[in-house]
Amino acid sequence: MQKEIQPEYHEDAVVTCACGNTFTTGSTKKELKVDICSKCHPFYTGHQKIVDVGGRVEKFRKKYNLPADK
């Protein structure tokens, strides 16, 4: 492995989620920002959370004449 071409590795990279949760991990970037983490992901919480990007959910519901989710 050539040392001059490897990226710098940070063992204390800070990960910040959109829900406000933060934790540290190892990464080639010093700071990471994510949309969903284990504290707010539906698989881990058991609550369904729809992440709507660009109105896709509303478009799907309108196309198939489905009621709005509350």
Side-chain angles (χ1 to χ4, degrees):
M1 192 163 76
Q2 297 176 346
K3 297 209 181 273
E4 351 17 272
I5 63 170
Q6 299 301 320
E8 182 180 350
Y9 185 75
H10 303 282
E11 292 186 14
D12 57 347
V14 177
V15 180
T16 305
C17 179
C19 71
N21 185 31
T22 60
F23 56 93
T24 59
T25 188
S27 177
T28 56
K29 293 188 177 187
K30 187 72 175 162
E31 187 176 320
L32 300 166
K33 294 184 181 181
V34 295
D35 295 328
I36 298 176
C37 68
S38 62
K39 295 283 185 188
C40 60
H41 193 279
F43 181 79
Y44 300 110
T45 62
H47 296 87
Q48 184 174 0
K49 177 181 174 184
I50 297 174
V51 179
D52 190 8
V53 178
R56 292 181 185 174
V57 175
E58 286 302 319
K59 184 178 178 183
F60 175 81
R61 289 186 180 169
K62 185 176 179 182
K63 180 178 179 180
Y64 292 105
N65 199 19
L66 298 174
D69 192 27
K70 294 180 181 177

